[in-house]
Amino acid sequence: MLHKVIQKIDQHAHIDVVDAHCDIPCGIYDPHHALIGALTVVRMVDLINAKVKEHGAGSTAEFINSMARYIAIKEEHAELTKHEVRVIWGDFIKAPHVEAYPQLPGLVHKIMQLGSKARQTVSREAALDLLEAVNEFAEIFWQIKEIETKRVKAPYSVTEEMVVPVL
Amino acid sequence: MLHKVIQKIDQHAHIDVVDAHCDIPCGIYDPHHALIGALTVVRMVDLINAKVKEHGAGSTAEFINSMARYIAIKEEHAELTKHEVRVIWGDFIKAPHVEAYPQLPGLVHKIMQLGSKARQTVSREAALDLLEAVNEFAEIFWQIKEIETKRVKAPYSVTEEMVVPVL
Amino acid sequence: MLHKVIQKIDQHAHIDVVDAHCDIPCGIYDPHHALIGALTVVRMVDLINAKVKEHGAGSTAEFINSMARYIAIKEEHAELTKHEVRVIWGDFIKAPHVEAYPQLPGLVHKIMQLGSKARQTVSREAALDLLEAVNEFAEIFWQIKEIETKRVKAPYSVTEEMVVPVL
Amino acid sequence: MLHKVIQKIDQHAHIDVVDAHCDIPCGIYDPHHALIGALTVVRMVDLINAKVKEHGAGSTAEFINSMARYIAIKEEHAELTKHEVRVIWGDFIKAPHVEAYPQLPGLVHKIMQLGSKARQTVSREAALDLLEAVNEFAEIFWQIKEIETKRVKAPYSVTEEMVVPVL
Amino acid sequence: MLHKVIQKIDQHAHIDVVDAHCDIPCGIYDPHHALIGALTVVRMVDLINAKVKEHGAGSTAEFINSMARYIAIKEEHAELTKHEVRVIWGDFIKAPHVEAYPQLPGLVHKIMQLGSKARQTVSREAALDLLEAVNEFAEIFWQIKEIETKRVKAPYSVTEEMVVPVL
Amino acid sequence: MLHKVIQKIDQHAHIDVVDAHCDIPCGIYDPHHALIGALTVVRMVDLINAKVKEHGAGSTAEFINSMARYIAIKEEHAELTKHEVRVIWGDFIKAPHVEAYPQLPGLVHKIMQLGSKARQTVSREAALDLLEAVNEFAEIFWQIKEIETKRVKAPYSVTEEMVVPVL
């Protein structure tokens, strides 16, 4: 039913064939949504900082309305990123994958922490750190599925690099 | 089932540049999530029908548990597809796009109806109709953004064709 | 702002009896909830602007707390209005209705855009535009069901006109 | 800001003027949504029982799909009814109203219990009991607002009596 | 602020054994979550007021981001507290309990109002009033289950007293 | 199934004092809710299996209604357990804790997988495995906070052992 994970190169040679029994099991995993979440965090930080720069020190209703909305979307998408990564990690990643990619538990833990930091701050650096960590997670994910990836300019209003599978 | 999307270059040329003032406005739109929703509906229909075929006429707890879960995921993802298409249509698509792609309102309406049909039935044909309509919507979306698309085999446990941008 | 809904009897007469096959299909549709959403947006805009006028340029915790809450409720109810209209349009409105009321797709599209504008701004005019569009939608809805409507003063803390069926 | 609750008739003579400080405070309360919830419960029970009667003892995928969906909507709407009544009771009803309508706490408690019973069973009687209790609650609500009510045939696929304000 | 809960043994003795028919019925009730909600409200009020004191009258992006987040969590947890108490009251508390503890309906009503007040203000006193009311509710809950309670210092970043069962 | 958590004092002693910078940061963490989730899964499995045993091979509406509800609550609470553990792990657990309790990443991964298994099956063993893993997680959590724990009979309709802090 699911593509068998057959590891070729020596790095992966010891991974046994693992059936990816997921939560349903549905077998439809894709880090794309986690990446959209991280890119949206970057975008919101940019909008927040642009608004503050343009607005100065006042507090008109329009200003507060915009800020509240940017922050809420930032919260929601940082949380979405954490949730999506947790699901892939919990339901797709199995013990043999962890053996082959021993950095995985630490990377996932780091994404959770960076997701929280992105919520707590309006720092562009924190947002980019989150995006980079999710990009690395996406690369490992597609490697496990034996599908090549590349990094492209995101085709959105925020154009930071994102990992996509070569299909 | 749906009219083929035939885009003439001159028709396309009439579209003025439109700022994508979205809900935030965030400018991060992508029909990918709507497609994942439609593909998941296909997958759930397959799992439902396989389970019934394998199980026969009994009603063990395991059977009911699986069926309830497949149906809930099907519900959720058909709804997700409708929601995602509604957001892109409401926040990204502007009047000039509707002029250039006069089939859009009908296509969106059809996706809403097919999404509901996919919830009401366990028909693979209904699920594929939904997927095809969303693929056509995705093609128009990327055309508006002037990004080429191609149809690829979905890299999941369900491998129906899906539209992706050429990045 | 929106074209007046003028229904000619002969136009109406062409509609075949259409079974309201909805999502369940449940047949319990009512634009009342969408109207409550739009009225709540008006109310929140009023509360926001009153608070800013009364408060001046400071930023006490009480002020920020109230503003954050008004904005969140405004967001939620504008979204609710969009969602409710989308459901009625997707599940109740059929092709023959669109033929009889050709303004419907444009009206629904406009409600989506006005709902977003109501979120992006704290403009009373934008909120009233949304309410008026939903009132027009409600009138068409009840006409399709062949139930008369009237416009009444809303019996809430905001007393703008709302469309109700004559039962 | 909010209509002052001025009680005229002797039953209500002892109620002091009460400012209806609600959760926002928004002042937009309406038991309509709670009634829609209760009517939907009735409708789902009808659909469930019709399906079982028509279907007999088999368990086809279509049958299970429909049943799962009816039950989920029944759950959701019984819960909605409880939630809506709780909000009006917690944010609109004040101590003087409870003095004037001493049956209110018991009625609200009963609605919570009937809402749960409606979830636990597929009994039409239980669903109608819930509807009747919410109708009584609606009557008291509008009395407090000094707006007359009447009972009308619901204008939906389920046509049980519902309380509406005379506007 | 709330009347002290004085339980006489003989009063308690009159309660017949009541099966806890809950919504499922599941029989897994615990006011712990409602208490966590109330404690979180206290904590958010403290963070809000500390932030404002430290920050002064400016409105930097970091300040607005933190305030928006504290307020959102305060909203969510005050609502959670109301919801949890409503569920226990609606599904666990039966008529004989109300007879034995006649203060219950008033206490529950008060919790709803205090939960709303905690949302509307940033007052520490309002937050503590909510917590105290929920503590009293928790004491009655465990008394009904005939399990002793004690008040302990909460083992969190906020250390106000909370009621726990002696297990 | 899971390795016994054996904490040596000297190992513990190496942990530097770590400020619990959480998502807010709020500092109100408690594995209690995750445990309630796991206990509820056990309870639902018991109700499902009792219902099937009592019911036999029919498929009355009442039977399907109950089963659908038990399964939905099982889904929801297994997910809740996973979510709660993810939050504590992501926001409370820091690198020094992972050094002191090197079993933590594996234990958390296991909880995610057991949570999914509990959703996929109606096995009491799977439900108990989940509960035991969360109990072990709770023990480590309280150890990090330097608060003693004990295992008590849960004071609910399901009385399996649960870890509580000694306060």
Side-chain angles (χ1 to χ4, degrees):
Chain A
M1 183 197 82
L2 283 163
H3 300 309
K4 288 184 177 173
V5 180
I6 303 160
Q7 299 301 141
K8 10 144 227 203
I9 350 171
D10 45 1
Q11 186 194 12
H12 308 163
H14 19 282
I15 310 181
D16 294 328
V17 174
V18 181
D19 275 15
H21 291 299
C22 72
D23 195 312
I24 264 300
C26 78
I28 301 180
Y29 297 112
D30 193 332
H32 187 91
H33 208 37
L35 283 165
I36 291 284
L39 284 161
T40 302
V41 171
V42 176
R43 175 74 170 142
M44 289 306 116
V45 169
D46 287 350
L47 287 172
I48 287 167
N49 290 326
K51 198 80 182 176
V52 169
K53 184 169 287 181
E54 154 212 318
H55 179 84
S59 59
T60 66
E62 288 287 353
F63 172 75
I64 298 172
N65 187 59
S66 292
M67 292 296 277
R69 301 178 73 239
Y70 299 157
I71 292 163
I73 297 292
K74 180 162 74 76
E75 288 283 291
E76 187 184 308
H77 279 79
E79 187 59 27
L80 175 72
T81 295
K82 291 197 277 184
H83 179 74
E84 292 286 310
V85 169
R86 189 274 277 169
V87 170
I88 293 177
W89 179 62
D91 289 325
F92 176 79
I93 308 284
K94 306 293 171 201
H97 306 136
V98 175
E99 267 171 56
Y101 300 86
Q103 74 271 41
L104 260 175
L107 178 59
V108 171
H109 196 199
K110 193 171 143 192
I111 289 171
M112 298 304 137
Q113 294 175 315
L114 290 169
S116 294
K117 199 175 169 197
R119 293 179 66 166
Q120 289 157 24
T121 68
V122 291
S123 145
R124 192 167 214 269
E125 200 191 336
L128 291 178
D129 285 351
L130 174 63
L131 177 59
E132 176 54 24
V134 181
N135 268 328
E136 288 174 25
F137 182 79
E139 278 165 343
I140 294 175
F141 171 84
W142 291 111
Q143 272 181 45
I144 290 173
K145 287 181 72 96
E146 303 193 345
I147 290 174
E148 255 186 272
T149 54
K150 58 178 172 180
R151 292 191 171 219
V152 299
K153 223 170 85 110
Y156 314 118
S157 57
V158 61
T159 57
E160 305 296 323
E161 258 188 12
M162 72 185 288
V163 166
V164 293
V166 178
L167 301 173
Chain B
M1 191 203 78
L2 283 161
H3 304 306
K4 194 95 185 79
V5 178
I6 303 162
Q7 295 305 138
K8 290 156 291 177
I9 284 165
D10 56 346
Q11 187 184 41
H12 198 185
H14 297 327
I15 311 180
D16 294 328
V17 174
V18 180
D19 274 19
H21 290 298
C22 72
D23 195 312
I24 267 298
C26 78
I28 302 179
Y29 297 112
D30 193 333
H32 187 90
H33 208 38
L35 283 165
I36 290 285
L39 285 161
T40 303
V41 170
V42 176
R43 176 73 171 140
M44 290 306 115
V45 169
D46 288 351
L47 288 170
I48 287 167
N49 290 325
K51 198 79 181 177
V52 169
K53 184 168 286 182
E54 154 213 316
H55 179 84
S59 60
T60 65
E62 289 284 356
F63 172 74
I64 298 171
N65 187 59
S66 293
M67 291 296 277
R69 300 179 74 240
Y70 300 157
I71 292 164
I73 296 292
K74 180 162 76 73
E75 289 282 292
E76 185 185 309
H77 280 79
E79 187 59 26
L80 174 72
T81 295
K82 292 198 276 184
H83 178 74
E84 293 284 310
V85 169
R86 190 273 278 169
V87 170
I88 293 177
W89 178 63
D91 288 326
F92 175 80
I93 307 282
K94 306 294 171 201
H97 306 136
V98 175
E99 267 171 56
Y101 301 86
Q103 73 273 38
L104 260 175
L107 177 59
V108 171
H109 197 199
K110 203 140 204 170
I111 288 171
M112 299 304 138
Q113 294 176 315
L114 289 169
S116 294
K117 199 175 169 197
R119 294 180 65 166
Q120 288 157 23
T121 67
V122 292
S123 147
R124 193 168 213 271
E125 198 192 337
L128 291 177
D129 285 352
L130 175 64
L131 176 59
E132 175 54 24
V134 181
N135 269 327
E136 291 176 21
F137 182 79
E139 278 165 343
I140 294 174
F141 171 83
W142 291 112
Q143 273 183 41
I144 289 173
K145 287 180 71 95
E146 303 193 349
I147 290 173
E148 256 186 272
T149 55
K150 59 179 172 180
R151 291 188 171 222
V152 300
K153 226 170 83 111
Y156 313 118
S157 56
V158 61
T159 58
E160 304 297 323
E161 256 188 13
M162 73 185 288
V163 166
V164 293
V166 178
L167 300 174
Chain C
M1 190 203 75
L2 282 161
H3 303 306
K4 193 97 186 76
V5 179
I6 303 162
Q7 294 307 137
K8 288 157 293 177
I9 283 163
D10 55 347
Q11 186 185 41
H12 198 185
H14 297 326
I15 312 180
D16 295 329
V17 174
V18 180
D19 275 18
H21 290 298
C22 72
D23 195 314
I24 266 297
C26 77
I28 301 178
Y29 297 113
D30 194 332
H32 187 91
H33 208 38
L35 283 165
I36 291 284
L39 285 162
T40 303
V41 170
V42 176
R43 176 75 171 139
M44 290 305 117
V45 168
D46 287 350
L47 288 172
I48 287 167
N49 290 324
K51 198 81 181 177
V52 168
K53 183 168 288 181
E54 153 213 317
H55 178 85
S59 60
T60 65
E62 288 286 355
F63 172 74
I64 299 172
N65 187 59
S66 293
M67 292 296 278
R69 300 178 75 239
Y70 299 157
I71 292 164
I73 296 293
K74 181 163 73 76
E75 289 281 291
E76 186 184 309
H77 280 80
E79 188 60 26
L80 174 72
T81 295
K82 291 197 277 184
H83 179 74
E84 293 286 310
V85 170
R86 189 272 278 170
V87 170
I88 293 177
W89 178 63
D91 288 326
F92 175 78
I93 308 284
K94 307 293 172 201
H97 306 136
V98 176
E99 267 170 56
Y101 301 85
Q103 72 274 37
L104 260 175
L107 178 59
V108 172
H109 196 198
K110 203 140 204 169
I111 289 170
M112 299 304 138
Q113 293 176 316
L114 289 169
S116 294
K117 198 174 169 198
R119 294 179 64 167
Q120 288 157 24
T121 67
V122 291
S123 145
R124 191 166 215 270
E125 198 192 338
L128 291 177
D129 284 352
L130 175 64
L131 176 59
E132 175 55 24
V134 180
N135 268 328
E136 291 177 20
F137 182 79
E139 278 165 344
I140 295 175
F141 172 83
W142 290 111
Q143 274 184 40
I144 289 172
K145 287 181 72 96
E146 303 191 350
I147 290 173
E148 254 187 274
T149 54
K150 59 178 172 181
R151 291 190 171 222
V152 300
K153 224 171 83 110
Y156 313 117
S157 57
V158 61
T159 57
E160 305 296 322
E161 257 188 12
M162 72 184 288
V163 167
V164 294
V166 179
L167 301 173
Chain D
M1 186 198 79
L2 283 162
H3 299 310
K4 288 185 180 171
V5 180
I6 303 161
Q7 299 302 142
K8 13 147 225 201
I9 349 171
D10 46 0
Q11 187 193 15
H12 308 164
H14 17 285
I15 310 180
D16 295 327
V17 174
V18 182
D19 273 17
H21 290 298
C22 72
D23 195 312
I24 265 299
C26 78
I28 301 179
Y29 298 111
D30 193 331
H32 187 92
H33 208 38
L35 283 165
I36 290 285
L39 285 162
T40 302
V41 170
V42 176
R43 176 73 170 143
M44 290 306 115
V45 168
D46 287 350
L47 289 171
I48 287 167
N49 290 326
K51 198 81 183 177
V52 168
K53 184 169 286 180
E54 153 213 316
H55 179 85
S59 60
T60 65
E62 289 285 355
F63 172 74
I64 299 172
N65 187 59
S66 292
M67 292 296 277
R69 300 179 74 239
Y70 300 157
I71 293 163
I73 296 293
K74 181 162 73 77
E75 289 281 292
E76 186 184 309
H77 280 79
E79 187 60 25
L80 174 72
T81 295
K82 291 197 277 183
H83 178 74
E84 293 285 310
V85 169
R86 189 273 277 168
V87 170
I88 292 177
W89 178 63
D91 289 326
F92 175 80
I93 307 284
K94 307 294 171 200
H97 307 136
V98 176
E99 268 171 56
Y101 300 86
Q103 74 272 41
L104 261 175
L107 178 58
V108 172
H109 197 200
K110 192 171 144 193
I111 288 171
M112 299 303 138
Q113 293 176 317
L114 289 169
S116 295
K117 199 174 170 197
R119 293 179 65 166
Q120 289 157 25
T121 67
V122 292
S123 147
R124 191 167 214 271
E125 200 191 337
L128 291 177
D129 285 350
L130 175 63
L131 177 59
E132 177 53 25
V134 181
N135 269 327
E136 289 173 24
F137 181 79
E139 278 165 343
I140 294 174
F141 171 83
W142 291 112
Q143 272 181 45
I144 289 173
K145 287 181 72 95
E146 305 193 344
I147 291 174
E148 256 186 90
T149 55
K150 57 178 172 180
R151 292 191 171 221
V152 299
K153 225 172 82 111
Y156 314 118
S157 56
V158 61
T159 58
E160 305 297 323
E161 257 188 12
M162 72 186 288
V163 167
V164 294
V166 178
L167 299 174
Chain E
M1 190 203 75
L2 283 162
H3 303 307
K4 193 94 187 81
V5 179
I6 303 162
Q7 296 305 138
K8 290 157 293 176
I9 283 164
D10 56 347
Q11 186 184 42
H12 198 185
H14 298 328
I15 311 181
D16 294 329
V17 175
V18 180
D19 275 17
H21 290 299
C22 72
D23 195 313
I24 265 299
C26 79
I28 301 179
Y29 297 111
D30 192 333
H32 186 91
H33 208 38
L35 283 165
I36 291 284
L39 284 162
T40 303
V41 170
V42 177
R43 176 72 170 143
M44 290 305 116
V45 168
D46 287 351
L47 288 171
I48 287 168
N49 290 324
K51 198 79 181 178
V52 169
K53 184 169 285 181
E54 155 212 315
H55 179 84
S59 60
T60 65
E62 289 286 356
F63 172 75
I64 299 171
N65 187 59
S66 293
M67 292 294 278
R69 301 178 74 239
Y70 299 157
I71 293 163
I73 296 293
K74 180 162 74 76
E75 289 282 291
E76 186 183 309
H77 279 78
E79 188 59 27
L80 174 71
T81 296
K82 292 197 277 183
H83 179 74
E84 293 285 310
V85 169
R86 188 273 278 170
V87 170
I88 293 177
W89 178 61
D91 289 326
F92 175 79
I93 307 284
K94 307 295 172 202
H97 306 136
V98 175
E99 267 171 57
Y101 300 86
Q103 72 273 40
L104 260 176
L107 177 59
V108 172
H109 196 200
K110 203 140 202 168
I111 289 171
M112 298 304 138
Q113 293 176 314
L114 290 169
S116 295
K117 197 174 171 198
R119 293 179 65 167
Q120 289 157 23
T121 66
V122 291
S123 145
R124 191 167 215 270
E125 198 191 339
L128 291 178
D129 285 351
L130 175 63
L131 176 59
E132 175 54 24
V134 182
N135 269 328
E136 291 176 21
F137 181 79
E139 278 165 343
I140 294 175
F141 171 84
W142 291 112
Q143 275 183 39
I144 290 173
K145 287 180 73 95
E146 303 191 350
I147 291 173
E148 254 186 274
T149 54
K150 59 179 172 180
R151 293 190 170 220
V152 300
K153 223 172 85 111
Y156 314 117
S157 55
V158 61
T159 57
E160 305 296 323
E161 257 189 11
M162 73 186 287
V163 166
V164 294
V166 178
L167 300 173
Chain F
M1 188 203 76
L2 283 161
H3 303 307
K4 193 93 184 86
V5 179
I6 303 163
Q7 296 304 138
K8 289 156 294 179
I9 284 165
D10 56 346
Q11 186 184 40
H12 199 186
H14 297 327
I15 310 181
D16 295 328
V17 174
V18 180
D19 274 18
H21 291 299
C22 72
D23 195 311
I24 265 300
C26 78
I28 301 179
Y29 298 111
D30 193 332
H32 187 91
H33 208 37
L35 283 166
I36 290 284
L39 284 161
T40 303
V41 170
V42 176
R43 176 73 170 142
M44 290 305 116
V45 168
D46 288 351
L47 288 171
I48 287 167
N49 290 325
K51 197 82 182 176
V52 168
K53 185 169 285 180
E54 153 213 317
H55 179 85
S59 58
T60 66
E62 289 286 354
F63 172 74
I64 298 171
N65 187 59
S66 293
M67 291 296 277
R69 301 179 74 239
Y70 300 158
I71 292 163
I73 296 293
K74 181 163 72 74
E75 288 281 292
E76 187 184 308
H77 280 80
E79 187 59 27
L80 175 71
T81 296
K82 291 198 277 183
H83 178 75
E84 293 285 310
V85 169
R86 190 272 278 168
V87 170
I88 293 177
W89 178 63
D91 288 325
F92 175 80
I93 307 284
K94 308 292 173 203
H97 308 136
V98 176
E99 267 170 57
Y101 301 85
Q103 73 274 39
L104 259 176
L107 177 59
V108 172
H109 197 199
K110 202 142 204 167
I111 289 171
M112 299 303 138
Q113 293 176 316
L114 289 169
S116 294
K117 198 174 171 197
R119 295 179 64 165
Q120 289 157 24
T121 67
V122 291
S123 147
R124 192 167 213 272
E125 199 193 337
L128 291 177
D129 285 351
L130 175 64
L131 177 59
E132 174 55 23
V134 180
N135 268 327
E136 291 177 20
F137 181 79
E139 279 164 343
I140 295 174
F141 171 84
W142 292 112
Q143 275 183 40
I144 289 173
K145 287 181 71 96
E146 304 192 349
I147 291 174
E148 255 186 273
T149 55
K150 59 178 173 180
R151 293 190 170 221
V152 299
K153 223 171 84 111
Y156 313 118
S157 57
V158 61
T159 58
E160 305 297 322
E161 257 188 12
M162 72 186 288
V163 166
V164 294
V166 179
L167 300 174

